[in-house]
Structure formats: C-alpha cells, structure tokens
Amino acid sequence: MSSSITIRDIAADDFGHWRRLWTGYLEFYKTEVPEAVYETSFQRLLNGNDQEFHGLIAECDSTPCGLVHYLFHRHMWKIENTCYLQDLYADPALRGKGIGRALIEAVYQAADAAGAPSVFWLTQEFNYQGRMLYDRIGVKTPFIRYNRGQA
Amino acid sequence: MSSSITIRDIAADDFGHWRRLWTGYLEFYKTEVPEAVYETSFQRLLNGNDQEFHGLIAECDSTPCGLVHYLFHRHMWKIENTCYLQDLYADPALRGKGIGRALIEAVYQAADAAGAPSVFWLTQEFNYQGRMLYDRIGVKTPFIRYNRGQA
Amino acid sequence: MSSSITIRDIAADDFGHWRRLWTGYLEFYKTEVPEAVYETSFQRLLNGNDQEFHGLIAECDSTPCGLVHYLFHRHMWKIENTCYLQDLYADPALRGKGIGRALIEAVYQAADAAGAPSVFWLTQEFNYQGRMLYDRIGVKTPFIRYNRGQA
Amino acid sequence: MSSSITIRDIAADDFGHWRRLWTGYLEFYKTEVPEAVYETSFQRLLNGNDQEFHGLIAECDSTPCGLVHYLFHRHMWKIENTCYLQDLYADPALRGKGIGRALIEAVYQAADAAGAPSVFWLTQEFNYQGRMLYDRIGVKTPFIRYNRGQA
C-alpha cells in the first residue's frame, strides 16, 4: 500500500515543493505566514543546528507528496531530549496511501537514532481524519493546551 | 492578596527547596524521576544555555513556596521562539494566595523580555484546580496531545 | 446523492431487518443485549405510547439500510418536550450515501411535527465518522456525560 | 459533615424556596426561563405522573439549601427505565458541606427503589467544581452532547 512512498531528509532544492506542501498544511489550520517565515524556517530546517527543526519529505512516485517537521528539545523529567513533531501534511489528492503513517514512523526512527525516543504532537480535538491515524500509531493523552491570551 | 509573594530566578543554593517542591509536582502527576534527573535537570536550569529550561522560584514570606520551569524553542510558524511552560507548582498548604498566577505572570514577563511572547503549556483535562486559574490567565485551545506509544 | 433513500416509520414486519441493523449498531459500541431486550424494545417501538421510543427505517433501493430511534421526554427548562435521538445506524457497506443525514433530518421533521423541535444526541468523543456528519447537521455542546458508577 | 442535611421530596408549599434555588441554578448556566416555565414545571414536579420529573429538596438546618430534578425514561438497551438527573444545585453560601453529594445519593436511592438503577447526567466540560464531586460519585464517560442547530 505504501510501497511507492519514500521518505528522505529535506534538501536545499526542495523549497518549491516544500512551500507548496506547507502552505497546504497552514491552510488546513486556516492560517498563513509571511514570506519571511517561509524563508527563515526553510533555512533553519537546512542548517543542521541542534536547536532547529528538522524536515522530512515524502515522495510518491518521485514527486514530493508530504512533509513533517520535528524538533528535539529538553524535557525536565528525563536526561535525554524529547521530540516534538509539529507539522504533518500529506497531499489531499493522495490521502489514504499511508503517507502520514510513513512520515510519523520516519520521525520515530529519527528519534530513536538521536537517543530521544519520546515523540509527541498536538492536534485539534476535531481533526478527525488525523486522529484516525494517530489512534493507531500513537496514544491519546489527557493533556490539553493552553495559550497565553494575547500572544 | 499576593503582596507577600516574591518571584526570582532559581539559584545554586536552591537545590533543597527546589527538590522538595518539584517532588510535590511530580507526585501530583503520580510519577517520580531518578536521582540523576534531579541532579542533571537542576544543573541545566542553572547553566544559562539558551537550549535549557529556566526556573523561577516563588517565595512566600522569604520561604520557597512554588516553582515554574520554562523553555524557549523554535516554532516553525514564526521567526521568534515560543515559550513552553512545563512545570508549575505551588505548595498545597499555601494555595489560593496567588502563587500560581504570580509564577505564570513572571514567565510572561520573561517571555516578553526574551522577544518570545507566545507562551503555552499543557495540562490534564481533569486538572480542575489548575484550569480554574488557567481559564483566567490564559486561553484554552482545542489542541490535545498524542504520544508515541512505546516511548 | 441520497435520491434513492427513503425514510419511513418502522413497521411490525421489520423485525428481521431491524434486528440485523440494530445488532450492527450495538456491535459498534462493543455491546450486546439479551434476546428479551430485542423483543421488548421492538414491541415498544410499535405500541404508539407517548412514553416509548419511536423508530424510523431507511431504505436504500427498497432494502432496509439504516435506522434511528428517538424519544420525546420532559425538559425542566421548557413547556414542550425535548427529543432524544438515541441510536443511529447505517449499513457500513452503504456509508457515504447520506443515510445518516436523511435519518437525522427525518427525526428533525418528526420533532417539529410533535411540537418538540429541540433534538439532541450523545456520541463518543472519538466517533470520528459520526462527528464528521454531526458537525454539519448539528452543534457540538460542551456537555459531557457522567454515569452512576455501579449501574 | 453532612449530618445536618436532610433530603426530602419536594412539596406543594416549596414553590418560593424552589424558585429561588432553581433560579440560582439557571443563572449558573447563564440562562433564564419565563414565568410560565416556573409554574408549569413546578406543577409537573408535583403531579405524580410517571412521565414527569421528580424533585428533591435538601434542607440545611431546616432551610431549603439545594435541589435536584430527575426523570425516568425508556432506554432502548434495557427493559427497565434509565434515570436522567437534570438539575443539581446547592446554595453557593453552603458549598462544601456535602449537599450535592447527598442529593445525588438520594437520586441513586430513588432510582434503586424504582427498579431503574442506571443514573446519568450531563455537565459542561468546564464545570470544575461540579466535576470534582462527579468524579468521586460517578464515572465520566466519553459521550458528548450534540444539539440540533436551530432548536
């Protein structure tokens, strides 16, 4: 089913595809970001710094069809870092082929390789399509997110 | 009401009080951490590295009565960092005096000073006491947390 | 899309189809009921008493393919009754054809006709397929259900 | 702790106290009802009909200090009725004395006596004070409520 999906690290010449896919993701969350964020975040994905997000691209038949971003950061409760998976997206035209699962599993592998196997992500309670996958590949916790009001 | 509460950065000689307060916090979450985590996490709180958690201590009449930890990390959607408030605790014997509110507001100020004014935190859906405060000082989002199963 | 779906009141000779469909519903909730409940509940559906549940059958190309049960009962906050929609089911092999929507809309019409236009139902938070429909045809409330423990 | 609390059936001469207490309840839900609803609902509470809500009054030192309403209605999944506890209220000036618990337990007893021991109620997800009690005296389910939109 997911036999034609390849997951690889994001590369410098992915900007166009990455921009297209990430815009689809942001539109799902009914948001948009200024051009400076596209440029800065993309450069950070590539710079190899430990503090930065990493990015993976899914290719379906050699065409980028999905992406995921993940960040390692400290966790007070353990020595090793934790892995925060922030953005997950698959081309809607290619849903149901296992792109999302393949991307999450690739993050799991990257987390294992980094010695930070705890991976978590946040999703809206009403993201039914996403949660159908997440319930199979992860575990729902009772934790909910609060934001500072004005920020 | 909160007139006798002082908030200050955690200091090297706070280990005993910090250990006591943080243990209370961990017990609230029905968890515990090995001694190496106490030692490592405390050293990290003090080392001043940008990647590390920071810590604040609340003092009630000159005695440590609460703590909070917070971390700045990247956020794909913006240039500036976001601020993740991970642990918040007030001595149960002194609840209702505004310790929690004073600690969160101090994190807000630290986030403003760092140019990373977005602050967020996670709490269990059934943490009623906490949420009574959070609803006044923050905004509930529809985001829920998933964890990788085995990690 | 739902052109071939017909909604009609349940009738005395529907027992076989009703039993099959309702069993599918109960299996979705990982439960089962004794034979006496099938028999008693079916007789009650048919007896026309105001205190009893009513039942509707959806037919797809003349074959029963879905059902819904609804009950009018008192509500302290208003003169007229409220309408409690308890069981909604569509044959899984025929999902996506609008059976669920047609059944709920038929209950809305029955409620209007009865002068009790308020309709509500309960669903599990993780019933994603159902909620995709309910979000379009109804409004999520912040109400959650508690049960007596031992009952 | 709850030694001075007495629970008794609502009586015809309770209208004034009942009106005061129920108004407090409705204000908690930021709602109000017309005078005709006060009158009709009170008469229904008293008329003894099986289809009607029943009412209990809590007395603290001989003064009405709380109320609860409950209704028996059909449940498709069982022969016996289920018991829907709709309104629960304790005078805010007397909270923490066990009024709410005593009222719920009295409904449990009434449900047992009626041969309909299943009791359930709905509450807003953010009713923290209520849920502190409900978590001790009942069981949270994953069921959430949807309403017809316009009704």
Side-chain angles (χ1 to χ4, degrees):
Chain A
M1 177 159 138
S2 65
S3 57
S4 65
I5 300 172
T6 309
I7 309 295
R8 60 169 177 77
D9 287 340
I10 199 164
D13 60 358
D14 282 323
F15 185 76
H17 287 297
W18 173 84
R19 195 187 193 294
R20 168 178 58 86
L21 292 165
W22 197 41
T23 299
Y25 175 81
L26 295 169
E27 285 172 352
F28 176 80
Y29 279 107
K30 296 181 175 44
T31 193
E32 55 189 352
V33 298
E35 194 57 34
V37 170
Y38 279 106
E39 288 164 15
T40 301
S41 287
F42 188 73
Q43 288 308 318
R44 287 172 175 170
L45 282 173
L46 293 174
N47 79 9
N49 188 316
D50 281 351
Q51 300 190 46
E52 304 295 355
F53 273 93
H54 305 277
L56 298 176
I57 293 285
E59 291 196 345
C60 299
D61 297 325
S62 304
T63 301
C65 58
L67 61 76
V68 69
H69 301 142
Y70 60 99
L71 174 79
F72 295 105
H73 71 64
R74 286 290 191 231
H75 191 294
M76 284 295 295
W77 299 19
K78 57 188 92 182
I79 307 290
E80 68 272 19
N81 281 336
T82 192
C83 179
Y84 174 29
L85 188 163
Q86 190 179 18
D87 301 327
L88 175 73
Y89 187 72
D91 188 330
L94 297 164
R95 294 274 166 81
K97 294 185 184 304
I99 299 170
R101 171 183 286 269
L103 285 163
I104 293 175
E105 288 177 346
V107 173
Y108 286 177
Q109 291 173 23
D112 287 340
S118 291
V119 181
F120 74 97
W121 60 96
L122 305 180
T123 198
Q124 287 172 319
E125 178 270 334
F126 46 80
N127 178 9
Y128 308 131
Q129 290 286 3
R131 291 183 61 192
M132 286 182 202
L133 170 61
Y134 306 155
D135 284 348
R136 290 195 298 268
I137 207 168
V139 177
K140 187 195 169 210
T141 76
F143 283 88
I144 61 175
R145 175 174 168 149
Y146 273 83
N147 285 348
R148 179 182 186 175
Q150 75 273 32
Chain B
M1 178 159 135
S2 65
S3 56
S4 65
I5 301 172
T6 308
I7 309 295
R8 61 168 176 77
D9 287 340
I10 199 164
D13 61 358
D14 282 322
F15 185 77
H17 287 297
W18 172 84
R19 195 185 192 296
R20 169 179 58 84
L21 292 165
W22 196 41
T23 299
Y25 175 82
L26 294 169
E27 286 172 352
F28 176 80
Y29 279 106
K30 297 178 174 40
T31 193
E32 55 188 353
V33 299
E35 193 57 34
V37 170
Y38 279 105
E39 288 165 16
T40 301
S41 287
F42 188 74
Q43 289 308 318
R44 287 173 175 170
L45 281 173
L46 293 173
N47 78 11
N49 187 316
D50 281 351
Q51 299 188 48
E52 304 295 354
F53 272 92
H54 305 276
L56 299 176
I57 293 285
E59 292 196 343
C60 299
D61 298 324
S62 305
T63 301
C65 59
L67 62 75
V68 70
H69 301 141
Y70 60 99
L71 173 79
F72 295 106
H73 71 63
R74 285 289 190 232
H75 191 294
M76 284 295 295
W77 301 18
K78 58 187 90 178
I79 307 291
E80 67 271 19
N81 281 336
T82 193
C83 179
Y84 174 28
L85 189 162
Q86 190 178 16
D87 301 328
L88 175 73
Y89 188 71
D91 188 331
L94 296 165
R95 293 273 166 82
K97 295 186 184 304
I99 299 170
R101 171 184 285 270
L103 285 163
I104 293 175
E105 288 177 345
V107 173
Y108 286 176
Q109 291 173 24
D112 287 340
S118 291
V119 180
F120 74 97
W121 59 96
L122 305 180
T123 198
Q124 286 171 320
E125 178 270 334
F126 46 79
N127 178 9
Y128 308 131
Q129 290 286 2
R131 291 183 62 191
M132 286 181 202
L133 170 61
Y134 306 154
D135 284 346
R136 290 194 301 267
I137 207 168
V139 177
K140 186 193 170 213
T141 75
F143 283 88
I144 62 175
R145 175 174 168 151
Y146 273 83
N147 284 348
R148 179 183 185 174
Q150 73 272 33
Chain C
M1 179 159 134
S2 65
S3 55
S4 65
I5 302 172
T6 308
I7 310 295
R8 59 169 177 77
D9 286 340
I10 199 164
D13 60 358
D14 282 322
F15 186 76
H17 288 295
W18 172 83
R19 196 185 191 295
R20 169 179 59 85
L21 292 166
W22 196 41
T23 300
Y25 175 83
L26 294 169
E27 286 173 351
F28 176 80
Y29 279 106
K30 296 179 175 43
T31 193
E32 55 188 352
V33 297
E35 194 57 34
V37 170
Y38 280 104
E39 288 165 16
T40 302
S41 287
F42 188 73
Q43 288 308 318
R44 287 172 175 170
L45 283 173
L46 293 174
N47 78 10
N49 187 315
D50 281 351
Q51 300 189 47
E52 304 295 355
F53 273 93
H54 305 276
L56 299 176
I57 293 285
E59 292 196 345
C60 299
D61 297 326
S62 304
T63 300
C65 58
L67 61 76
V68 68
H69 301 142
Y70 60 99
L71 174 78
F72 295 105
H73 70 64
R74 285 290 190 229
H75 191 294
M76 284 296 294
W77 300 19
K78 58 188 89 180
I79 306 292
E80 68 271 20
N81 281 336
T82 192
C83 178
Y84 175 28
L85 188 162
Q86 190 179 18
D87 301 328
L88 176 72
Y89 187 71
D91 187 331
L94 297 165
R95 292 274 166 80
K97 296 186 183 304
I99 299 170
R101 172 185 285 269
L103 285 163
I104 293 176
E105 287 177 347
V107 173
Y108 286 178
Q109 290 172 24
D112 287 339
S118 291
V119 180
F120 74 97
W121 59 97
L122 306 179
T123 197
Q124 286 173 320
E125 179 270 333
F126 46 79
N127 179 9
Y128 308 131
Q129 291 286 2
R131 291 183 60 191
M132 286 182 202
L133 170 61
Y134 306 154
D135 284 347
R136 290 195 299 268
I137 207 169
V139 177
K140 187 195 169 210
T141 75
F143 283 87
I144 61 176
R145 175 174 167 149
Y146 273 83
N147 285 348
R148 179 182 185 175
Q150 74 273 31
Chain D
M1 179 158 133
S2 65
S3 56
S4 65
I5 301 172
T6 309
I7 310 294
R8 60 169 177 77
D9 287 339
I10 199 164
D13 61 358
D14 281 322
F15 185 75
H17 287 297
W18 172 83
R19 195 186 193 294
R20 169 179 59 84
L21 292 164
W22 197 42
T23 300
Y25 175 81
L26 295 169
E27 287 172 349
F28 176 80
Y29 279 105
K30 296 179 175 43
T31 193
E32 54 188 353
V33 297
E35 194 57 34
V37 170
Y38 280 105
E39 288 164 16
T40 301
S41 287
F42 188 73
Q43 289 308 318
R44 287 172 175 171
L45 282 173
L46 294 174
N47 79 9
N49 187 316
D50 281 351
Q51 300 189 47
E52 304 295 354
F53 273 93
H54 305 276
L56 298 175
I57 292 285
E59 291 196 345
C60 299
D61 297 325
S62 304
T63 300
C65 58
L67 61 77
V68 69
H69 302 142
Y70 60 100
L71 174 79
F72 295 105
H73 71 64
R74 285 289 189 232
H75 191 295
M76 284 296 295
W77 301 18
K78 59 187 90 180
I79 307 290
E80 68 271 20
N81 281 337
T82 193
C83 178
Y84 174 29
L85 189 162
Q86 190 178 19
D87 302 326
L88 176 73
Y89 187 72
D91 187 330
L94 296 165
R95 294 273 167 82
K97 295 186 185 303
I99 300 170
R101 172 184 285 271
L103 284 164
I104 293 175
E105 289 176 346
V107 173
Y108 286 176
Q109 291 173 24
D112 287 340
S118 291
V119 181
F120 73 97
W121 60 95
L122 305 179
T123 197
Q124 286 172 319
E125 177 270 334
F126 46 80
N127 178 9
Y128 308 131
Q129 291 286 2
R131 291 184 62 191
M132 286 181 202
L133 170 61
Y134 306 154
D135 284 347
R136 290 194 300 268
I137 206 168
V139 177
K140 186 194 169 214
T141 75
F143 283 87
I144 61 175
R145 174 174 168 150
Y146 274 82
N147 285 348
R148 179 183 187 175
Q150 73 273 29

